[in-house]
Amino acid sequence: MPTATKARAAKADALRVRRVRASDMANVIALDAHVTKLPKPDYWDDVFRRYGKQRLHERFFLVAENRADRTKPRLLGFIIGEVRVWEFGSTPCGWVFALSVDPEMRLHGAGNALLEAMSAEFKKAGVSKMRTMVARDARLPLLFFRSEGMMAGPYIQLEKDLD
Amino acid sequence: MRLQISTQLAIFAVLELAAREGQQLSVADIGEKYGVSSHHLAKVMHVMGRAGLVRSVRGAGGGYQFAGNARRTTLLDVVQLFEDANSVEQDGGAADATPEGQALRQVLSEIDDIARATLGSITIATMRKLVDRHATGNGRQSKAGRPRQRGSLAP
Ligand SMILES: CC(C)(COP(=O)(O)OP(=O)(O)OC[C@H]1O[C@@H](n2cnc3c(N)ncnc32)[C@H](O)[C@@H]1OP(=O)(O)O)[C@@H](O)C(=O)NCCC(=O)NCCS
């Protein structure tokens, strides 16, 4: 096998996506605080309770880790989604509402592996459409979701100042 | 949304060249597939050459090569070379100062913002994947639902 191919295969081998565990939460909270500059441990406790422990057939909180060093796997990122039924008059579909990869570990396929794992979970749950919502000026996630083949959906998000 | 012919040609040319990295195509090759004159296309290629998106290769069998990074160049990067990206800018007329003019501008800016976000989030590499989906008949947004008649350049 050529060296470059071998290196890629080893990298792919080291990358694993699995369901979140309680022991991941300190790393998830630290990653989120690092990325958003807004530590919110209470929020994450609540998210873990709801998406990491309940209704697991339709709620998915997945993490990607690098297991090159098996004794010390490193958290690369996480994704959270759920099957939502009949919202906005739509047939059931999978919603992704959080996706984050460690800034130092980006562009090595972790985001892609997380989204693919989520797609597989959604399919197993019986839905055939995956949706998400991204801020118009959030270039990185937009470029990423587009590269994954996502197109604009049939809904327009509206808002109003309540004054 | 409508793009000027030059802009569309620029996108088509980049898509063709990016599909064959390291190879070159002549303006005649590309022009034939899209039914446009080499003259028109040459002007478009000149603009893209100045922007560093394509490079010309001299000599017999010369032509153009893609010189950008298909995974980092977006449709907006190409479109902005040919179109005014701030098309709803005030034109200075008296109507701009009226509440009616401002309300209309607000609505049109909304459309522009969405168009910019769309064009700015789709790279040439992403477009190639979309092209391939249409070529295999899986392009969901395709009105005809079938790929168009293939030109001589089709892979
Ligand atoms: C979006 C994000 C999850 C992608 O994670 P990642 O691990 O870098 O993703 P991948 O390595 O799988 O990248 C896949 C593709 O995304 C696209 N992409 C990612 N970063 C890009 C960039 N800087 N420019 C252009 N395209 C980019 C590319 O097409 C890339 O494929 P390529 O490397 O073959 O070109 C990551 O950038 C991130 O966490 N960003 C911040 C997310 C955020 O703001 N979250 C809050 C809202 S939910």
Side-chain angles (χ1 to χ4, degrees), chain B residues 45-146:
Chain B
M45 299 309 273
H46 183 69
V47 174
M48 289 205 288
R50 269 202 328 236
L53 281 182
V54 300
R55 88 169 66 84
S56 70
V57 184
R58 296 187 192 287
Y64 282 94
Q65 281 183 350
F66 183 57
N69 178 346
R71 285 148 64 183
R72 297 292 174 266
T73 306
T74 68
L75 287 179
L76 188 62
D77 295 329
V78 181
V79 169
Q80 273 174 337
L81 297 175
F82 300 91
E83 318 245 349
D84 180 3
N86 299 309
S87 51
V88 201
E89 284 297 293
Q90 282 172 294
D91 62 12
D96 285 340
T98 64
E100 288 78 1
Q102 285 162 2
L104 181 58
R105 228 162 69 84
Q106 183 183 0
V107 173
L108 296 182
S109 317
E110 197 180 284
I111 297 171
D112 265 14
D113 286 350
I114 294 172
R116 243 194 315 274
T118 302
L119 294 170
S121 66
I122 299 180
T123 62
I124 299 306
T126 296
M127 269 302 272
R128 283 289 346 156
K129 288 189 223 164
L130 194 55
V131 170
D132 291 343
R133 280 197 348 234
H134 279 270
T136 54
N138 291 327
R140 303 241 171 84
Q141 318 290 323
S142 157
K143 275 194 192 137
R146 310 237 89 234

Side-chain angles (χ1 to χ4, degrees), chain A residues 92-109:
Chain A
C93 70
W95 267 93
V96 172
F97 62 86
L99 169 64
S100 190
V101 170
D102 183 340
E104 278 146 42
M105 308 303 283
R106 289 180 188 168
L107 286 177
H108 293 295

Side-chain angles (χ1 to χ4, degrees), chain A residues 123-140:
Chain A
K123 269 199 230 160
K124 262 194 270 168
V127 297
S128 57
K129 185 77 86 183
M130 175 162 70
R131 297 207 161 106
T132 192
M133 193 152 71
V134 183
R136 212 146 56 196
D137 56 2
R139 260 191 103 235
L140 214 47

Side-chain angles (χ1 to χ4, degrees), chain A residues 45-89:
Chain A
D45 281 349
D46 186 46
V47 170
F48 178 63
R49 203 167 348 98
R50 286 188 293 135
Y51 291 89
K53 293 206 270 199
Q54 295 170 7
R55 293 167 54 190
L56 297 182
H57 62 288
E58 57 182 14
R59 290 182 176 176
F60 309 100
F61 186 163
L62 313 176
V63 296
E65 61 181 11
N66 183 314
R67 291 166 52 82
D69 178 354
R70 304 240 158 181
T71 57
K72 252 199 308 178
R74 173 171 178 177
L75 181 95
L76 301 175
F78 60 84
I79 189 167
I80 311 174
E82 70 181 322
V83 174
R84 291 191 190 165
V85 185
W86 308 119
E87 250 178 350
F88 312 114

